[in-house]
Amino acid sequence: MQGEYHYTVGPYPDPVLEIDPGDTVVAETHDAFEGAIETEDDLPSEVLGDYLNPQNGPIYVEGATPGDALAITIEDIEPRGPQPRGTTCTVPYFGGLSATDRTAMLHDPLPEIVKKLEVTTDGTVWNDDITIPYEPFIGTISTSPKIDSVNALTPFKHGGNMDLPDVRPGNTIYLPVEVEGGYVYLGDCHAAQGDGELCGVALEHPTNTTITVDLIEDWELEWPRLESDDFIMSIGSVRPMEDAARAAYADLVTWMADDYGFDEMEAYMLLTQVGHVRLGNMVDPNYTIGAGIDKAYL
Amino acid sequence: MQGEYHYTVGPYPDPVLEIDPGDTVVAETHDAFEGAIETEDDLPSEVLGDYLNPQNGPIYVEGATPGDALAITIEDIEPRGPQPRGTTCTVPYFGGLSATDRTAMLHDPLPEIVKKLEVTTDGTVWNDDITIPYEPFIGTISTSPKIDSVNALTPFKHGGNMDLPDVRPGNTIYLPVEVEGGYVYLGDCHAAQGDGELCGVALEHPTNTTITVDLIEDWELEWPRLESDDFIMSIGSVRPMEDAARAAYADLVTWMADDYGFDEMEAYMLLTQVGHVRLGNMVDPNYTIGAGIDKAYL
Amino acid sequence: MQGEYHYTVGPYPDPVLEIDPGDTVVAETHDAFEGAIETEDDLPSEVLGDYLNPQNGPIYVEGATPGDALAITIEDIEPRGPQPRGTTCTVPYFGGLSATDRTAMLHDPLPEIVKKLEVTTDGTVWNDDITIPYEPFIGTISTSPKIDSVNALTPFKHGGNMDLPDVRPGNTIYLPVEVEGGYVYLGDCHAAQGDGELCGVALEHPTNTTITVDLIEDWELEWPRLESDDFIMSIGSVRPMEDAARAAYADLVTWMADDYGFDEMEAYMLLTQVGHVRLGNMVDPNYTIGAGIDKAYL
Amino acid sequence: MQGEYHYTVGPYPDPVLEIDPGDTVVAETHDAFEGAIETEDDLPSEVLGDYLNPQNGPIYVEGATPGDALAITIEDIEPRGPQPRGTTCTVPYFGGLSATDRTAMLHDPLPEIVKKLEVTTDGTVWNDDITIPYEPFIGTISTSPKIDSVNALTPFKHGGNMDLPDVRPGNTIYLPVEVEGGYVYLGDCHAAQGDGELCGVALEHPTNTTITVDLIEDWELEWPRLESDDFIMSIGSVRPMEDAARAAYADLVTWMADDYGFDEMEAYMLLTQVGHVRLGNMVDPNYTIGAGIDKAYL
């Protein structure tokens, strides 16, 4: 349970919860609009306030010290709240096939459309013909930067709004500890999402999200990393998109060299043949790419 | 059988073969180095000539007229030639984690390393521990641009060096007809490749590649498209990488609207939830991204 | 006089100074290394701490309210401190022709070189043959974002580390007011700089910098703007660089339409013929481009 | 006098003229639309054919051999043809603040507007209030690539559609010789242009353009270079724009090292303080940036 949500993640607020390494936490996450879009007549340009993407936290992890990493395993994500609890929409001057404040143009905005959708663990009812399987994940999860406070829409080295579907139940994400206690923030769970989160708004929904937070001492991370049963993955978030891919793959080379005994050039050449790439988002202030390799090759 | 190979694809050479729509062709493709790297002591900077990526063709397709499209189904790819028939390497100032002539820097080049590898349909023997499954595809396939002649290393609207693993046996690629006869070129088959072709050189190998070429009249394509049993995909090749993603997804929206009855905004919002992205290359003069959607949603 | 400097600009610290609109302030700015590089043997990788680019401020401007703008006129910049007071250097994995954490590669870093230089208002003595004219400007100047706290190395809509030589004595920069009092930060004065700040470190030097701060009520700015005797300029800071150019030019079109009576398309077409572009930096987390038009055309 | 113009530059057509090094040539250039836009009612989307930017040439230079360079001095550019001889316009899905085929979006196109303008050596009459000074330059000039034939809209290592205002009377551009005779193409003269050629179409006009072509033996160029009385400049054309800046500055470092005795790192650090950047175009298939240094520093 969270009192006030946060729209920027940093070291400045007081923790809402203190936990020990190994503890499991259930967070009642809001949707990215903090519930403000209640019907298909609620246009984003009219009902949304200045701030988006409310974050739960910060959670203080006892003993977490700069230079450590947190290993956060996503245990479960369950939809909550009254139906239709799912929301997707287009937002003026936002999205992958729209002019934006950064890719600025002189076009009129695209049409503004809201869809309210029934979401259960059986899927999201898109229309009479299409039900999209429930494949939930955490869109935004981070620790706190050292001195900056970064708005909740931006992914970067601290994690944040990566919108990467691999941050799903069963997988573990590794995040850097930059301040005492690490300060975990999370929110923005999606009931499903395609690669790139094309129009900028996935199947947003409020959830009960269960995570277990472990501490790995003395593991300095430059970028977030992730592990599933089958693969390891480094996650880069930067623009342009090729730099996100470079950052992700370069970090994966380093990881393979440091922890799996590869020569760097050997890792580079092997990834050329068997590396896999997942596009997280192509709409946020930084684009996110995950670069992974199957454990069978490690 | 090809006499002289081509290093640039355009309307200027004479066809080596004329076929009818529906004909099946077997091409003896060279590897991307035209076999010049014979041992692990043959450094690319010493043995390679001015031109790379030899192309078979052009193949003239009877009746193909500008405004049509060719549907080229990849039937089979088989390795050929004496072992070790596989080659991968690093090339100075080329590759995804290297300074290049375009991303120019003041660094010394990375080490130049050649690997010669045994390739069979059972896989590529990387080392004693690792055998990489044989998952062959055509790295470079195109029709001819209308008046330009584009070097074989560059992917763009005509196809070309996309290095997209989905161009594999069982799938069909659609390419625009820009000149009478279409002029099909192909080459550069890979025994396997990771997303992005990170170091710039996949598991290159000579092959016997079998394709069937059909003609689709009056179907104007802006970008190459692809179809498998399960999905349809549009393929964008441009820099920066986000523009490749935009071109691919925008073309897919158009395809869904033109041929599957979607409203454009509806297609845009649905792809946000279920679209998938495949990174072809992040090393060639244009980066290549395929954006697809499962047929179940169409 | 500043007590503690700031390495991140936001609404969280207390103001060091409260002024009225129209007041003139003299700031004792540090160099970007806070003086830590004292000799040519002080390598950045050894002597620099975690934080760079110390900022003076925040200065609270009475009456400044969100939706207003501040007009900050640079009155004078004078070098201060003992000679050699100028510093430039290369920093490992930083700079325009170097691999960086964002444009990540596998290269070894470029050589690390420090130059300590005599700086006076007559110029900077580069070597026996070359003296670089003293053309000082403020490298980093901003107001506070609304809720974020952005590190002092990053330029964006609030201003920040734009490294744009047009922010020089005689010119006025316009910055948005996002919090009560505006919260002006500044620092990082350069004795001269080429377009792009190529290696990432200009002629850094401590100064006495004099500014006059005026308040313009009800003028909402999306990006910083600048005015000289001869031209007006909008300043975009984002990656990739074409988006910085788009943001700057699009904002200039808006400015010409809102305040000078142009039709937007007419402004667009006129700028095509007479617009001018200044590259600020090509090395910071966002690249900075200023797009301007001579007042003669307004 | 040119018979048929060319829309793609390569080694395939026969030369229209053979000259000796040192010869001066007067070319009757067309405007970029080959005169097809005759009135303000001639919309580009209706009157333009498949091909744009007609090029004069190729001119064969006796003795020019691969590995040499051509030094082409622009002697004079004079407007020709009946008034209103100047044309600018917007073209659907083309331009710096428009969605394009490469930066693909779902927006409707911007309005299509044509302006026909009186151009004399006194200037271009924009409207009753504004006359734009006549500052003519060659928008497109190149030698032939070795085997490719590149459409006339694309700038790259061979030169081409750079749209860089420094290619003006009094200055000399250096281009690589890739084929016997060099094969000089030129066209697309502008009566004036702002940095970036924002909407994609400058003040296009037909001209008599006078150039002198000299041969520099054994000077291998990677990118075009330029020299004025006051500065030298390297010209990079690639996407994204930061890579154009990198290519230009890196080539300038090489030039300073090879021909002016600089250590590379010294050149890098000096350019940081005194280098200047000119944005050519931000609208063509590759963006163009020139990076220069005043001769006073050499």
Side-chain angles (χ1 to χ4, degrees), chain D residues 38-55:
Chain D
E38 295 181 5
T39 76
E40 297 195 347
D41 294 326
D42 291 334
L43 294 188
S45 61
E46 293 170 3
V47 303
L48 297 182
D50 282 351
Y51 308 124
L52 290 171
N53 206 5
Q55 296 295 296

Side-chain angles (χ1 to χ4, degrees), chain A residues 7-8 12 50-51 101-106 146-152 154 156-157 222-223 237-240 242-244 246-247 250-251 253-254 264-265 268 286-287, chain C residues 7-8 12 50-51 101-106 146-152 154 156-157 222-223 237-240 242-244 246-247 250-251 253-254 264-265 268 286-287:
Chain A
Y7 304 92
T8 177
Y12 301 104
D50 282 352
Y51 308 123
D101 62 336
R102 289 162 196 250
T103 306
M105 297 179 168
L106 299 182
K146 194 171 293 186
I147 54 172
D148 290 6
S149 189
V150 179
N151 69 73
T154 301
F156 193 52
K157 296 185 178 183
E222 179 164 12
W223 294 97
S237 296
V238 67
R239 288 190 182 202
E242 56 262 38
D243 276 359
R246 284 174 177 135
D251 187 73
V253 166
T254 300
E264 282 204 356
M265 289 300 291
Y268 182 43
N286 286 319
Y287 304 132
Chain C
Y7 305 93
T8 177
Y12 300 105
D50 281 351
Y51 309 123
D101 61 337
R102 288 159 195 254
T103 307
M105 298 180 167
L106 299 181
K146 193 170 294 188
I147 56 172
D148 290 8
S149 188
V150 179
N151 69 72
T154 300
F156 192 52
K157 295 184 180 184
E222 178 164 13
W223 293 98
S237 296
V238 67
R239 291 189 179 202
E242 56 263 38
D243 275 359
R246 286 174 176 135
D251 188 73
V253 167
T254 300
E264 282 204 357
M265 290 300 291
Y268 182 41
N286 286 319
Y287 304 132

